[in-house]
Amino acid sequence: MKKNRSRLEAAGGFFGITLSVNGVERAFRVRNSEFLLDALRRYGYKSVKKGCDTGDCGSCTVIVDGKPSLACLIPAFSVHGSAVTTVEGLGTMRAPHPLQTAFVEAGAVQCGFCVPGMILSAKALLDEVPDPSEAEIKKYLDGNLCRCTGYVKQVRAVKAAAKKKRGGMEA
Ligand code: FES
Ligand code: FES
């Protein structure tokens, strides 16, 4: 979607914005003080988790124009014309994304609260670096905190998904 901020006008404290969410063009009406996290949840994208709400935990991570981004820190009006990806756009129960399969198979999911954000950070990494080193995986997932597990299984899951995406046997 091409950005066209010139058409963005506030009326009564609200902006009407258009954006692509998971490949579908959507129109949102957002308050001028609203953050993307709250707007996405209000429009039904409940995979985007509200953890700290201060940019510290990574649970609200979404992909905006190809980059992993903290939705709790992004004013909603600023994504007018952008492409946003949430976990709802990644896979389905019948056809999960390789990262979703890998997280389950590696035992990297306990309560699951951190998982959507972590998977989107990992997706952004694999889109950029198809064969990441362990250090690169750890660096990319550094901002995604998990209260339940250690981080070993998530790193294993990302390695396995990377291998699968490249067409190799899963580790
Ligand atoms: S809710 Fe956004 S970083 Fe924690
Ligand atoms: S699985 Fe519970 S916070 Fe990560």
Side-chain angles (χ1 to χ4, degrees):
M1 183 185 289
K2 202 164 176 216
K3 293 206 179 224
N4 184 358
R5 295 213 167 97
S6 61
R7 285 172 33 219
L8 192 57
E9 288 172 15
F14 285 85
F15 287 104
I17 65 170
T18 55
L19 66 162
S20 163
V21 186
N22 301 327
V24 177
E25 192 160 340
R26 297 289 313 264
F28 284 8
R29 191 164 178 263
V30 299
R31 287 182 293 279
N32 54 13
S33 58
E34 190 170 19
F35 286 90
L36 180 59
L37 166 61
D38 299 302
L40 284 169
R41 289 185 60 81
R42 199 159 54 73
Y43 278 89
Y45 301 95
K46 294 287 174 66
S47 73
V48 189
K49 300 297 183 215
K50 189 164 186 156
C52 64
D53 212 15
T54 53
D56 294 311
C57 75
S59 59
C60 66
T61 302
V62 293
I63 299 176
V64 179
D65 296 329
K67 298 284 174 204
S69 308
L70 297 175
C72 70
L73 298 182
I74 300 175
F77 67 80
S78 72
V79 300
H80 179 55
S82 290
V84 175
T85 303
T86 71
V87 155
E88 283 90 348
L90 239 55
T92 63
M93 290 293 280
R94 280 170 182 253
H97 186 278
L99 275 163
Q100 291 168 316
T101 305
F103 266 64
V104 171
E105 289 179 355
V109 180
Q110 287 193 23
C111 81
F113 192 85
C114 67
V115 172
M118 207 171 274
I119 282 184
L120 288 169
S121 290
K123 181 185 182 318
L125 167 65
L126 297 189
D127 287 347
E128 204 176 309
V129 187
D131 186 13
S133 66
E134 186 161 328
E136 285 171 317
I137 296 171
K138 286 181 177 168
K139 189 173 171 207
Y140 235 83
L141 296 187
D142 192 42
N144 292 89
L145 305 185
C146 177
R147 293 277 183 181
C148 300
T149 68
Y151 295 95
V152 173
K153 290 176 178 174
Q154 287 95 330
V155 172
R156 261 190 219 140
V158 177
K159 277 188 196 167
K163 195 165 184 177
K164 196 168 184 176
K165 268 190 91 187
R166 295 194 313 272
M169 296 291 290
E170 206 162 331

